[in-house]
Amino acid sequence: MHYHKIKMTAAAMAMAVLVTGNMPAAELNTATVSAKSAISAVLPAAGVGLVLNDGVSVSQIREEIKKRKEEKEPAEPVASSDTKASVTQTVAESATEAEAAVEAESTAETEIIEAVEPVLKEPETKISDEEREKEQDVLIIAQVNDYVNIRSTASTDGEIVGKLYNNSVGTLVAKDGDWYQVKSGSVEGYVKAEYFKTGDEAEKIADEVGQKMATVNTETLKVRSDASLEASVIGLVPGGEELSVLDEENGFVKVSIEEGDGWVSEDYVVVATEYVTAESIEEEKARIAEEEKAREDAKKAAQAAEERMKAKEKAKEGKNAEITDKSTSSESTASQQVTVSSSGSGLGQSVANYAVQFVGNPYVYGGTSLTNGADCSGFVMSVYKNFGVSLPHSSTSDRYVGYNVGSLANAQPGDLVCYSGHVAIYIGGGQIVHASTEATGIKISNASYRTPVAIRRIF
């Protein structure tokens, strides 16, 4: 917010400065009170600047009072000896009166200065940090092949303090020759200006690369076929999920879910645009360490799970060696696994092989049973639980487990393929297995049937 400035009236200022000029000492204190009252009547509230009329300043007030004092100083008395005693007494009395006047005048000066000076020291206007930041914000967007280093100084010799990835958004802080001082995410530093787009071009690119998302802020969100609370419900979404926004109109938001595109009331979602931002060196190290730990933990859990499964299978084979339908059961399982690619890690392949066994089982909103019914994240959670890996029961939270592998082109069996309000398991050959809808249950689909928002690898 801007602070406003006001002017002190000429009458009040005149009283403050001149009231002590030609006035007996006895009346001085009364005049001082009047002057202070006059000033108080026009002084602004705390934090508001003050401008005096006619260029009057505190130093001028002091000079004026000093001048008045000098004019009142008594001259050196000269008298004959016969009148010396009388004159001495008169001078003493005058000196006493003069001292009293000077003391009273000094008190008046102090009171006036103390009342006025603090206000005069305030700047005429103040701009809040938030307003100043907004005024200086200039959108920039990085255009690089992969990433560009952010340095501590405007030189290639500067320490690397972070990385700015392609299409990362930031703000221009200052220019230093052919370098930009930029701020993106938690990182501030210098990058060559040639790696950025600014102005209208930057805004256009930002509109294209930014992901507008709607976060559900109610326990269960009803997605409807039209922008009306009377329209039919096409699907349900649990609280906390993030959905891709396709359109907004008349208090409704169009979102993408597994059952199709539908509308929700803006009262039940929070809409925001997400951008890629820079990553500091510390943040990168922490992320890599966290991802590595997640891989190691998942690998250990999966190996332990495989050993348990093998032990169970051996025991089962020993007990059922004479059961005649054993070969039929094996053939059935094998037929379900023919769609699973043999590429990728052995652990991821095992996950994919296990998941396809449940194709045809029902979809149940909020469910986690692989046989009696599960929703999309419940299905993924239960499949990985079989391998000793704990995943959240949320398609949005699944976007942040494991580590990012980029696009479908890099996907391997066992990877999580995350969509707006949905998650599936990649099984190779461009296909996924997922708990789709109540109408279809658990099924196999083409992975590109919808646009993924993230591909995450657990193993």
Side-chain angles (χ1 to χ4, degrees):
M1 108 181 233
H2 283 283
Y3 289 83
H4 299 288
K5 61 182 181 180
I6 65 169
K7 292 189 175 182
M8 177 181 282
T9 62
M13 196 64 245
M15 182 174 290
V17 178
L18 301 179
V19 72
T20 62
N22 299 295
M23 185 173 292
E27 301 176 18
L28 189 57
N29 288 334
T30 303
T32 301
V33 173
S34 300
K36 290 178 67 179
S37 299
I39 292 172
S40 299
V42 296
L43 281 176
V48 180
L50 176 68
V51 177
L52 304 178
N53 282 335
D54 303 322
V56 178
S57 66
V58 172
S59 60
Q60 288 173 310
I61 294 174
R62 288 197 177 103
E63 288 298 322
E64 182 67 21
I65 294 175
K66 182 180 179 182
K67 181 180 177 183
R68 302 295 184 187
K69 289 179 182 178
E70 290 174 350
E71 291 176 352
K72 289 184 179 182
E73 288 294 333
E76 182 72 24
V78 178
S80 61
S81 58
D82 59 345
T83 59
K84 187 173 182 180
S86 176
V87 171
T88 300
Q89 181 179 353
T90 303
V91 169
E93 292 174 353
S94 298
T96 302
E97 292 179 2
E99 287 174 2
V102 168
E103 182 180 354
E105 199 165 293
S106 177
T107 301
E109 173 195 6
T110 301
E111 291 175 340
I112 293 171
I113 297 303
E114 287 177 348
V116 177
E117 191 169 27
V119 181
L120 292 175
K121 289 181 179 179
E122 291 290 332
E124 291 189 4
T125 59
K126 282 187 177 180
I127 302 175
S128 68
D129 291 339
E130 183 179 352
E131 285 184 314
R132 185 176 292 107
E133 186 176 344
K134 286 183 180 178
E135 289 178 359
Q136 294 177 350
D137 277 357
V138 176
L139 177 69
I140 57 172
I141 189 162
Q143 296 293 276
V144 295
N145 291 332
D146 187 7
Y147 69 87
V148 61
N149 290 323
I150 303 175
R151 298 183 180 274
S152 59
T153 60
S155 166
T156 53
D157 295 328
E159 178 187 359
I160 297 174
V161 296
K163 291 181 178 180
L164 200 63
Y165 298 91
N166 188 43
N167 291 329
S168 290
V169 170
T171 55
L172 175 61
V173 177
K175 295 180 180 180
D176 188 347
D178 58 353
W179 291 76
Y180 280 170
Q181 183 181 355
V182 302
K183 180 173 177 58
S184 178
S186 64
V187 190
E188 185 169 334
Y190 295 85
V191 181
K192 279 285 188 74
E194 64 190 80
Y195 296 112
F196 295 103
K197 297 293 183 184
T198 60
D200 293 341
E201 194 170 3
E203 291 182 6
K204 182 179 178 182
I205 297 173
D207 287 341
E208 294 172 356
V209 300
Q211 286 188 321
K212 186 173 282 191
M213 307 297 291
T215 303
V216 180
N217 63 4
T218 187
E219 185 175 350
T220 301
L221 179 68
K222 295 179 180 179
V223 182
R224 301 178 182 274
S225 59
D226 203 356
S228 168
L229 294 177
E230 305 301 322
S232 60
V233 176
I234 66 171
L236 302 175
V237 179
E241 292 292 322
E242 294 180 0
L243 308 174
S244 297
V245 174
L246 306 176
D247 197 7
E248 297 178 76
E249 65 174 45
N250 301 326
F252 283 84
V253 180
K254 191 176 185 179
V255 296
S256 174
I257 62 173
E258 178 62 14
E259 290 83 357
D261 298 340
W263 295 85
V264 299
S265 170
E266 65 179 11
D267 294 334
Y268 304 115
V269 293
V270 177
V271 177
T273 303
E274 298 177 351
Y275 296 100
V276 177
T277 57
E279 184 177 46
S280 70
I281 295 301
E282 292 76 15
E283 290 169 338
E284 181 186 42
K285 288 179 180 178
R287 174 179 56 79
I288 292 174
E290 186 178 347
E291 290 176 351
E292 184 60 33
K293 183 178 183 302
R295 281 195 295 267
E296 290 302 318
D297 290 347
K299 194 177 293 185
K300 290 177 182 177
Q303 288 171 343
E306 283 188 328
E307 290 175 2
R308 289 195 301 270
M309 290 172 64
K310 286 178 180 178
K312 287 180 181 180
E313 188 63 28
K314 270 190 175 183
K316 184 179 179 181
E317 286 177 359
K319 291 178 180 180
N320 301 323
E322 298 178 0
I323 299 177
T324 57
D325 63 347
K326 179 182 176 183
S327 60
T328 304
S329 175
S330 299
E331 289 172 2
S332 174
T333 301
S335 66
Q336 290 175 322
Q337 293 179 354
V338 294
T339 58
V340 179
S341 168
S342 59
S343 62
S345 71
L347 294 171
Q349 188 69 62
S350 296
V351 170
N353 291 343
Y354 181 73
V356 296
Q357 297 180 73
F358 306 102
V359 170
N361 288 344
Y363 171 98
V364 174
Y365 178 78
T368 59
S369 173
L370 296 174
T371 53
N372 298 325
D375 58 16
C376 64
S377 58
F379 171 70
V380 170
M381 180 181 74
S382 295
V383 167
Y384 267 92
K385 183 179 180 181
N386 185 70
F387 292 86
V389 177
S390 178
L391 295 180
H393 192 182
S394 164
S395 62
T396 296
S397 298
D398 282 339
R399 298 180 196 175
Y400 306 99
V401 299
Y403 59 100
N404 182 38
V405 299
S407 64
L408 279 175
N410 302 323
Q412 295 179 1
D415 290 350
L416 305 190
V417 183
C418 304
Y419 304 89
S420 171
H422 193 61
V423 63
I425 296 174
Y426 189 74
I427 59 175
Q431 293 184 310
I432 56 172
V433 59
H434 58 139
S436 181
T437 66
E438 288 184 358
T440 63
I442 298 173
K443 68 174 187 175
I444 292 173
S445 301
N446 189 308
S448 58
Y449 82 111
R450 292 172 65 197
T451 302
V453 295
I455 314 293
R456 309 294 294 187
R457 182 163 298 158
I458 306 300
F459 299 134

